[in-house]
Amino acid sequence: MDRFEICLPYILAQECPYPKDWSNHRNYSDDPGDSGGPTMCGITHREYDLWRKGHSLPTQDVIHITQDEGYAIYRISYWLPHCPSLKPGLDLFFFDTAVNMGSTRAIKLLQASLGITPDGLWGPVTSRAVAAIKDPVPIIYDEQQRRNAMYESFGAFHMFGKGWLHRDKTIGDVSASMAVDNRATA
């Protein structure tokens, strides 16, 4: 099975209260304290506009996003191109970080955890460091601590911090478990 299909349900559990019904209005959020703006199943209106324009489609309110469009955005904008090169478990954690914090921050956090310059660019140095990972569990836990520290630095931490830290622990634990399970079967 494609690892994207394995990992996506964990992301949707954080982003989409009713992941089997993308038309459910309870999947929509437009919290004034959230800088992401209008969001449906974790996809911001801004990201949805970019995707539709890139596919020569007229823009429309994100509340009208289909599951197929959402899955395509998750795969193209957050899973690819880096997650397939990561070991099981680390792929989920990186994917979740990219979704929740943006791809550049996800790369920087991974680079810092790998002990290389966190420039946010995935080049040959990052590729070599990723290929050299023997056990992703310590990397996952290091990234988790870095992610928590970053959350705490955000101005909206007082509003969303409890949820962010819960998400970080949940995804971190699942990611580490995936990595251990993979180690046992490898």
Side-chain angles (χ1 to χ4, degrees):
M1 179 182 257
D2 180 0
R3 292 280 310 159
F4 173 77
E5 293 176 18
I6 293 169
C7 293
L8 183 62
Y10 294 102
I11 304 302
L12 292 178
Q14 302 299 317
E15 297 286 353
C16 193
Y18 301 93
K20 295 190 187 307
D21 180 9
W22 279 58
S23 65
N24 190 318
H25 290 285
R26 289 178 279 183
N27 289 327
Y28 180 80
S29 171
D30 191 10
D31 189 310
D34 184 350
S35 62
T39 304
M40 187 72 161
C41 281
I43 306 294
T44 66
H45 182 77
R46 185 172 42 250
E47 181 69 27
Y48 186 47
D49 275 353
L50 288 171
W51 188 87
R52 288 189 61 90
K53 286 177 186 176
H55 288 83
S56 301
L57 298 168
T59 59
Q60 62 183 13
D61 194 297
V62 72
I63 204 163
H64 301 296
I65 192 170
T66 67
Q67 182 175 333
D68 287 345
E69 288 173 319
Y71 280 28
I73 291 168
Y74 274 119
R75 182 183 291 275
I76 293 164
S77 298
Y78 302 107
W79 180 259
L80 295 175
H82 307 302
C83 291
S85 67
L86 297 169
K87 292 189 179 295
L90 187 53
D91 58 356
L92 172 61
F93 199 81
F94 182 88
F95 183 28
D96 186 65
T97 304
V99 167
N100 202 37
M101 297 180 136
S103 296
T104 300
R105 280 191 182 132
I107 293 170
K108 284 181 178 181
L109 286 172
L110 176 62
Q111 290 168 326
S113 293
L114 293 171
I116 59 176
T117 303
D119 61 9
L121 303 172
W122 192 297
V125 173
T126 302
S127 292
R128 281 193 300 274
V130 163
I133 295 171
K134 300 289 185 232
D135 181 4
V137 174
I139 304 298
I140 292 166
Y141 285 133
D142 186 77
E143 273 195 80
Q144 186 178 21
Q145 289 177 346
R146 292 175 190 277
R147 200 160 101 166
N148 282 340
M150 188 171 287
Y151 284 142
E152 291 171 7
S153 75
F154 291 162
F157 185 79
H158 68 283
M159 291 185 293
F160 303 114
K162 185 176 178 181
W164 289 338
L165 295 177
H166 181 266
R167 175 187 189 137
D168 202 39
K169 177 162 180 23
T170 300
I171 294 294
D173 289 349
V174 170
S175 297
S177 178
M178 282 180 174
V180 168
D181 289 350
N182 184 66
R183 209 170 40 201
T185 60

